Amino acid sequence: MKSKNIINLQTFTGGIHPHLDKSLTGRKKFKPIKLPSKVRLPLSQHIGAPSKPVVKVGDIVKEGQVIAEASGFVSVPLHASISGKITAIKKFPVCSGKHSMCIEITNTETKTEINSTENTNDWKKFTPDQLKTMVEEAGIVGLGGAAFPTHVKLSPPNNKKIDIVIGNGVECEPYLDADRNTMVSSPDKVIGGIQIVMKILGCGKGAVGIESDTPDAINAMSQKTENISSINIVPLKLKYPQGAEKQLIYAVTKKEVPCGGLPMDVGVVVINVGTAVAIYDAVVYSKPLYERNMTIAGNCLNESVNINVRVGALLNDIIDEIGGFKTLPSKIILGGPMMGQTVYLLDIPVTKGTSGILCLNEKEISIFKMGACIRCGKCLDICPMGISPAQIAQAIEFNNTDIAQQLGVFDCMECGCCTYVCPSNREIVQLIKLAKQQIKNKG
Amino acid sequence: MSSYKLKTSISPHIRSKQSVSKIMWTVNLSLMPVFLFSIYNFGIQALFVTLTCVISCVLIEALCLRLRGKPIDTVFDGSAVLTGILLAFNLPPDVPLWIPAVGSIVAIGVAKQAFGGLGYNIFNPALAARCFLLSAWPVEMTTWQVHGITGATPLGIFKEKGMSYLLTQFSSQSDMYSKLFSGNIGGCIGETSVILLILGSLLLFYKKIIRWHTPVAYISFVFILGWLFGGQKGFLSGDPLFYIFSGGLFLGALYMATDMVTTPLTNKGKFIFGLGCGLLTFLIRKFGSYPEGVSYSILLMNTATPIIDRYIKNRKFGNPKGKK
Ligand code: SF4
Ligand code: SF4
């Protein structure tokens, strides 16, 4: 049953079809680029406690060497992404707009020999616990954007039985195209990574959800799973935000993660396909996570590309390396246009969680004037979480956070669909984010 | 390189191309067939009434925005024009022209702007104005003409003299249906042509500006109630087709009860709203002193909208069935 009928594709309820597509990167292959001569690795590029440096300024480090260790369970070690000398350990500007502790490595030699892949391990001979330790030591976090430490995800409490591991091959944000590339260029690694996760969790079933607009990825992955009956490739109807965990789980299994719950509550663990590759590399090639695939796109660039970037490389250097700007950018976004974060300068590093860099020009960003809600009901129709964005936003506008909470403001996953569709340009999800912050600050 | 002027903002960074004024102008456009037909059916007077409504609505909107210190550019967002058209469509074609002017003041000045402008009004402005006019000047508001001949509307005749007398006004029963359906009868400017109202609304359904829930619930409930209890010879003797094709039901169900601002947000709520309108319309037609009850029903249900929105919610994702 590997060849799927494309007629009745599964999906989730609600959601939108953003008007932008992926044509900018033209579904291109990865473009090879030079290694950066300088990287800055923030100590906190994951959810959880920041890593603790184990090197000092002046030390010479090799690519892949541990330069900071995990501090606590929900934390990960950090590895040098290039060989060179530690030139600074201090606060630098990072993507959040703040300054944060970073380790700066400057490459002294002109060429670095790449940690070759000569000794490969057969992952099947390791025990689940050994495998999990390898994932932990490789500093792997979710590469879909959230950057949650993967080993934590792979350690569900004993009473939660995991029945299925779902590979997230849905790249639902407009522009972003790197996950598709990953699946096309190394499908065996993706499958291998998922099999490793299945072994760690002692679960016999796997699936990979992929949207139907990437037939090349579906084909590549289907071919590789031809003889692996435990892993199913599930083509999904194109829709945003299908890559959100709860929506993907519903699309693939028809199970709903309960409000406020986690995927493991319905026996599921979701692993981004990029993360699966990182897991495979960590186990089979003993290679820690210090590089990642991403899309760099936008009309003000000379060329939009999919590339493999060293963690800690500065936006400046990456953009220069791929050909620079054609016209002045007006807005630079890390991540996708629906959920990404804008940055105000280019002197900041990409992190393990950066899925893309978008450089938008004046025309691509428009300034919107927020109007009154005309109660068109569109946002209610499309909200994938089934809450009432219109009423929540109104409550927040009137400073009524209690009502906003009753209406389920914390069920909102901040996908931004409501703001996208609103004909009155209401900044619904922006208000929601603000209110969440206010409520949390209150205690 | 850090000398670029980069804008920062909170995601999402892109928006759909939909806008309030696009929605409003699309609705206006969808009403054009009915508008043209009304001129054909009632003569040039229909044009004058409609123009008076539209122009005075726009002027009063501008005046109110000015007085409230609001930006005046929303005058042409199409909503004032729409209110004007809908008000005109709910007036008899030969009202003296000061009536539409007064109506526009009530619609825009009182029902819309006094409540806070577009989005904040509780009542459908056009209907609020029509009901005001009807109680203030009942004679002017219920004098009908078709092709220059003064007469009552089919609903009025039915209410006064019964179905058998009404049928004598037409050559046959099917002639009555076809005249009702095509709109070749007396009535308010925009309510008579069922076929053109449906045609126009197709555009709105296609553009997803209106949903089927309210109109379907509304019209089918009137159909059922009219069939069961609407006849003058007891249970099941009603003529359901006559019940739905006469009066302003289609105009009301397709264009007034689907007004976004004054009706429920959820589709479930819209369905309930439609049922409520259906029930009230039937009750007023059957037991009230007016032959027609569409306007009052919708206005009454407008007041129920906040309650419906309070209790009728979409099902939350991940909420076990049956729980709130
Ligand atoms: S309310 Fe939250 S979950 Fe719903 S559409 Fe808006 S951002 Fe998405
Ligand atoms: S989409 Fe905008 S205008 Fe429509 S109901 Fe939601 S908040 Fe109101």
Side-chain angles (χ1 to χ4, degrees):
Chain A
M1 237 272 303
K2 287 283 186 251
S3 62
K4 304 290 179 249
N5 56 336
I6 307 289
I7 308 139
N8 242 336
L9 292 174
Q10 291 163 221
T11 188
F12 63 99
T13 338
I16 55 168
H17 298 98
H19 59 281
L20 295 162
D21 56 12
K22 322 239 179 187
S23 52
L24 266 178
T25 49
R27 299 295 193 193
K28 279 186 270 191
K29 288 216 174 69
F30 286 117
K31 179 184 161 123
I33 56 164
K34 279 212 309 280
L35 285 185
S37 54
K38 184 167 78 183
V39 291
R40 260 180 227 155
L41 296 135
L43 293 175
S44 180
Q45 32 183 301
H46 51 266
I47 292 179
S51 322
K52 277 205 299 271
V54 293
V55 289
K56 47 185 196 316
V57 175
D59 285 1
I60 303 289
V61 292
K62 278 191 80 97
E63 179 181 288
Q65 181 183 332
V66 177
I67 52 170
E69 58 183 19
S71 61
F73 180 58
V74 187
S75 180
V76 288
L78 190 60
H79 303 79
S81 54
I82 56 171
S83 301
K85 192 158 137 196
I86 309 283
T87 42
I89 302 180
K90 61 169 195 175
K91 287 197 168 178
F92 284 107
V94 293
C95 59
S96 63
K98 302 195 191 92
H99 285 59
S100 170
M101 283 303 270
C102 297
I103 300 180
E104 187 181 80
I105 307 175
T106 309
N107 184 2
T108 39
E109 307 143 46
T110 36
K111 58 169 191 259
T112 42
E113 105 256 15
I114 292 180
N115 224 354
S116 63
T117 54
E118 67 238 8
N119 51 331
T120 58
N121 307 318
D122 178 11
W123 61 267
K124 294 202 177 85
K125 66 176 203 259
F126 294 113
T127 66
D129 279 341
Q130 281 172 323
L131 289 169
K132 205 201 291 180
T133 312
M134 293 165 107
V135 170
E136 188 172 352
E137 284 172 353
I140 296 176
V141 300
L143 298 185
F148 186 73
T150 301
H151 66 274
V152 181
K153 223 178 191 180
L154 301 184
S155 315
N158 285 334
N159 59 348
K160 302 278 184 202
K161 173 99 188 61
I162 304 297
D163 339 287
I164 183 166
V165 172
I166 300 179
N168 190 349
V170 173
E171 207 168 26
C172 52
E173 284 257 19
Y175 291 106
L176 302 189
D177 189 37
D179 283 350
R180 178 199 62 86
N181 252 305
T182 305
M183 289 186 281
V184 173
S185 57
S186 33
D188 32 358
K189 286 188 177 184
V190 176
I191 306 288
I194 288 169
Q195 284 176 310
I196 293 171
V197 171
M198 284 161 65
K199 179 154 182 189
I200 295 177
L201 293 166
C203 112
K205 247 187 354 187
V208 184
I210 309 174
E211 285 189 334
S212 58
D213 68 327
T214 53
D216 47 349
I218 296 176
N219 284 340
M221 295 288 287
S222 302
Q223 265 169 28
K224 288 290 166 196
T225 48
E226 210 118 69
N227 302 313
I228 306 171
S229 59
S230 57
I231 298 184
N232 221 355
I233 304 301
V234 189
L236 303 170
K237 210 172 178 171
L238 183 67
K239 202 154 62 155
Y240 175 87
Q242 195 140 242
E245 275 192 342
K246 292 181 176 183
Q247 274 57 43
L248 178 68
I249 292 169
Y250 183 81
V252 173
T253 66
K254 292 277 164 288
K255 280 187 203 159
E256 286 188 23
V257 178
C259 290
L262 292 169
M264 63 169 130
D265 294 332
V266 289
V268 183
V269 161
V270 177
I271 294 284
N272 171 273
V273 291
T275 316
V277 172
I279 292 172
Y280 185 85
D281 283 344
V283 172
V284 176
Y285 301 114
S286 314
K287 180 184 158 219
L289 176 63
Y290 55 75
E291 58 181 356
R292 65 157 300 149
N293 295 337
M294 65 178 72
T295 298
I296 307 191
N299 281 323
C300 48
L301 288 170
N302 278 315
E303 193 188 4
S304 294
V305 290
N306 289 313
I307 53 172
N308 187 286
V309 177
R310 291 298 157 104
V311 174
L314 301 179
L315 298 190
N316 264 341
D317 297 345
I318 301 173
I319 290 166
D320 279 349
E321 173 62 27
I322 62 158
F325 292 118
K326 183 166 61 185
T327 52
L328 283 188
S330 288
K331 208 183 228 186
I332 301 218
I333 302 167
L334 297 186
M338 291 299 294
M339 291 182 84
Q341 218 174 7
T342 49
V343 295
Y344 65 92
L345 39 83
L346 288 169
D347 197 25
I348 58 165
V350 296
T351 62
K352 293 175 182 176
T354 310
S355 50
I357 305 173
L358 305 181
C359 309
L360 306 185
N361 63 23
E362 200 73 50
K363 271 195 235 113
E364 284 165 291
I365 59 157
S366 337
I367 313 290
F368 306 96
K369 210 169 106 240
M370 171 158 147
C373 170
I374 58 159
R375 301 171 41 83
C376 69
K378 263 248 121 102
C379 55
L380 284 91
D381 288 344
I382 55 82
C383 175
M385 298 311 288
I387 55 179
S388 174
Q391 285 166 299
I392 294 178
Q394 199 127 39
I396 300 169
E397 257 187 321
F398 290 115
N399 268 325
N400 224 330
T401 41
D402 289 347
I403 295 202
Q405 242 172 312
Q406 273 168 33
L407 290 168
V409 69
F410 280 101
D411 289 306
C412 166
M413 57 153 155
E414 304 180 3
C415 65
C417 291
C418 46
T419 304
Y420 177 85
V421 296
C422 179
S424 224
N425 287 319
R426 288 178 63 74
E427 313 229 296
I428 306 167
V429 64
Q430 289 86 340
L431 284 166
I432 288 178
K433 286 179 191 167
L434 214 79
K436 282 185 179 175
Q437 208 55 49
Q438 279 173 0
I439 297 170
K440 278 187 196 144
N441 290 350
K442 256 194 279 175
Chain B
M1 257 192 133
S2 37
S3 60
Y4 290 123
K5 278 222 170 61
L6 294 177
K7 292 198 177 67
T8 56
S9 63
I10 310 176
S11 61
H13 308 289
I14 49 172
R15 302 295 150 93
S16 66
K17 303 222 154 69
Q18 191 58 278
S19 72
V20 173
S21 63
K22 265 190 204 160
I23 292 177
M24 295 299 169
W25 285 111
T26 311
V27 181
N28 288 335
L29 179 73
S30 77
L31 285 164
M32 285 306 106
V34 180
F35 171 59
L36 294 177
F37 175 80
S38 72
I39 301 173
Y40 159 79
N41 196 33
F42 299 110
I44 199 75
Q45 183 67 16
L47 173 71
F48 291 150
V49 173
T50 313
L51 279 183
T52 311
C53 281
V54 171
I55 293 169
S56 41
C57 276
V58 170
L59 288 178
I60 292 157
E61 173 105 336
L63 183 71
C64 289
L65 288 172
R66 196 60 189 274
L67 289 177
R68 292 177 59 221
K70 298 274 171 188
I72 211 147
D73 53 339
T74 54
V75 162
F76 292 110
D77 67 3
S79 69
V81 175
L82 179 59
T83 301
I85 297 179
L86 287 177
L87 173 61
F89 280 14
N90 276 289
L91 297 177
D94 15 49
V95 281
L97 288 184
W98 56 268
I99 285 214
V102 173
S104 303
I105 298 175
V106 176
I108 299 287
V110 180
K112 184 177 173 188
Q113 292 293 345
F115 280 85
L118 184 66
Y120 297 104
N121 50 308
I122 294 168
F123 298 105
N124 184 316
L127 283 185
R130 170 186 146 105
C131 290
F132 168 80
L133 295 173
L134 196 58
S135 35
W137 294 283
V139 179
E140 287 83 352
M141 286 292 290
T142 48
T143 311
W144 316 95
Q145 273 190 27
V146 196
H147 300 312
I149 306 151
T150 311
T153 60
L155 261 185
I157 301 172
F158 172 70
K159 181 123 191 166
E160 299 262 301
K161 308 206 170 112
M163 184 55 101
S164 36
Y165 179 80
L166 176 64
L167 278 173
T168 61
Q169 307 287 307
F170 298 94
S171 57
S172 68
Q173 194 173 20
S174 58
D175 177 51
M176 176 180 81
Y177 289 148
S178 81
K179 284 221 168 80
L180 284 172
F181 195 62
S182 66
N184 216 340
I185 41 161
C188 291
I189 291 177
E191 71 180 17
T192 59
S193 178
V194 173
I195 172 81
L196 291 178
L197 284 165
I198 294 177
L199 211 69
S201 72
L202 288 182
L203 175 70
L204 304 186
F205 283 114
Y206 170 72
K207 293 263 182 199
K208 298 214 173 80
I209 290 174
I210 62 174
R211 294 304 182 111
W212 61 267
H213 304 77
T214 304
V216 168
Y218 193 171
I219 295 168
S220 48
F221 205 37
V222 170
F223 183 93
I224 293 168
L225 290 173
W227 179 43
L228 295 181
F229 310 108
Q232 280 141 334
K233 298 195 197 83
F235 193 61
L236 279 178
S237 71
D239 180 341
L241 285 179
F242 171 74
Y243 243 86
I244 62 168
F245 288 153
S246 59
L249 181 60
F250 273 79
L251 178 64
L254 291 170
Y255 282 95
M256 318 299 273
T258 55
D259 169 46
M260 295 167 172
V261 179
T262 55
T263 62
L265 284 165
T266 58
N267 291 335
K268 255 183 286 177
K270 290 185 169 106
F271 195 84
I272 293 170
F273 186 92
L275 290 182
C277 289
L279 178 67
L280 289 172
T281 300
F282 174 77
L283 290 177
I284 297 174
R285 279 189 186 177
K286 177 89 181 164
F287 303 109
S289 56
Y290 287 115
E292 175 58 308
V294 169
S295 310
Y296 285 107
S297 310
I298 297 173
L299 279 180
L300 275 170
M301 287 308 290
N302 283 164
T303 62
T305 295
I307 306 167
I308 296 178
D309 272 344
R310 178 131 197 218
Y311 292 104
I312 305 297
K313 301 261 187 247
N314 284 342
R315 195 183 74 86
K316 254 196 225 167
F317 182 87
N319 227 17
K321 286 197 179 77
K323 261 206 226 159
K324 259 270 149 73

